[in-house]
Amino acid sequence: MYQEAIKKYVEQHGHQRIRLKAVLFDMDGVLFNSMPYHAKAWNKTMSQFGFNLSEEEAYLHEGRTGAGTINIVSQRERGHDATEEEIQRIYQAKSEEFNRYPEAERMPGALEVLLKIKATGLTAMVVTGSGQRSLLDRLNHHFPNIFQKELMVTAFDVKYGKPNPEPYLMALQKGDFLPHEAIVIENAPLGVEAGAAAGIFTIAVNTGPMPDHVLTDAGANLLFPSMPAFNEAWENLYAILQQS
Ligand code: MG
């Protein structure tokens, strides 16, 4: 199964093989189990403002800007975009609601696979649309000595964000890697789209309530049902990547 997916990718992109040097990790829903809180906060806040956005739908919008998500719902329910003021008020309320929840826990399996990746001499990078100021401290606390500050891509680095390939292209640029020298690990359809559009072999990990096809339709080259499953598969996958 891995061989087939790799073969299909290299043929499609005109590479001879994947020469793996870097693993690019999305953060929310991959490294931290934060998506249930984001989804709850979106659902609750939007209903306070008279909009319907179910928790399930919130997962589909993961990675979009706040304004982008709000406007999709506003267009659907009112036929026009939200005003700047509405967007600010709603997004502020959503952020406040999110901050009332406990701090998200590390995703099971994430540290384990990162330690293996580091031990093999590969570079691990974080590519996130999140713009929390304390991001690096949190990452260093939960994943000590894994990530380098100068190799991180966050909301502060990018103009467009996912599903635009920009964040992943920027990660390649920061690390001086080519697309076939990296793989992307993503949980959200828009993140998968971004990884695939950057020309990188993209692995989806379905840590949310979406059906798998949402992630494969978005362009995932491989799919795992959870981070522990990805961690367990890592040695085998890495061996096959090296033989490809
Ligand atoms: Mg994510």
Side-chain angles (χ1 to χ4, degrees):
M1 179 182 87
Y2 302 156
Q3 282 100 331
E4 252 173 67
I6 294 164
K7 188 165 170 259
K8 203 171 149 198
Y9 164 84
V10 294
E11 280 175 6
Q12 236 169 26
H13 293 268
H15 302 306
Q16 290 200 310
R17 49 169 295 197
I18 294 174
R19 296 179 179 277
L20 193 62
K21 294 181 182 174
V23 186
L24 315 183
F25 283 86
D26 171 49
M27 189 178 74
D28 285 301
V30 171
L31 299 180
F32 293 108
N33 193 16
S34 43
M35 278 311 296
Y37 297 141
H38 280 293
K40 271 194 202 359
W42 269 120
N43 169 256
K44 192 170 168 191
T45 307
M46 289 297 269
S47 67
Q48 282 164 355
F49 284 85
F51 292 110
N52 290 301
L53 174 60
S54 69
E55 290 182 32
E56 288 75 17
E57 187 188 346
Y59 279 86
L60 300 176
H61 296 306
E62 186 197 341
R64 237 184 257 295
T65 62
T69 301
I70 292 161
N71 278 333
I72 282 174
V73 179
S74 178
Q75 280 287 352
R76 179 174 69 212
E77 296 186 1
R78 306 190 301 190
H80 59 82
D81 277 355
T83 65
E84 279 303 316
E85 200 211 330
E86 283 176 317
I87 288 169
Q88 274 203 356
R89 283 172 57 213
I90 296 171
Y91 194 63
Q92 169 89 14
K94 184 264 168 182
S95 301
E96 280 167 15
E97 179 65 23
F98 178 77
N99 288 332
R100 273 195 270 282
Y101 301 133
E103 193 171 275
E105 288 176 11
R106 191 168 63 203
M107 192 66 90
L111 179 60
E112 292 83 343
V113 75
L114 277 164
L115 289 171
K116 293 185 208 169
I117 284 166
K118 190 159 189 220
T120 53
L122 299 170
T123 301
M125 294 174 70
V126 173
V127 182
T128 178
S130 177
Q132 301 164 53
R133 299 276 165 192
S134 56
L135 212 64
L136 188 67
D137 291 342
R138 267 195 84 212
L139 281 166
N140 281 339
H141 175 71
H142 289 276
F143 303 96
N145 303 317
I146 301 277
F147 300 112
Q148 296 161 259
K149 184 178 193 257
E150 60 277 13
L151 293 184
M152 279 182 59
V153 177
T154 72
F156 303 112
D157 295 292
V158 299
K159 189 172 171 196
Y160 302 106
K162 303 168 188 177
N164 193 286
E166 179 196 28
Y168 283 110
L169 291 175
M170 191 167 285
L172 295 177
Q173 198 182 12
K174 281 195 180 195
D176 198 18
F177 300 117
L178 294 167
H180 65 288
E181 293 174 340
I183 56 175
V184 163
I185 316 300
E186 266 286 352
N187 71 302
L190 298 178
V192 167
E193 265 184 56
I200 306 170
F201 188 86
T202 299
I203 296 175
V205 182
N206 193 356
T207 61
M210 287 169 293
D212 288 345
H213 75 81
V214 174
L215 294 162
T216 45
D217 291 350
N221 299 99
L222 270 182
L223 182 138
F224 292 95
S226 67
M227 282 300 281
F230 174 59
N231 172 48
E232 275 163 40
W234 173 255
E235 285 87 352
N236 190 15
L237 175 63
Y238 184 50
I240 291 167
L241 279 166
Q242 285 184 301
Q243 291 157 15
S244 76

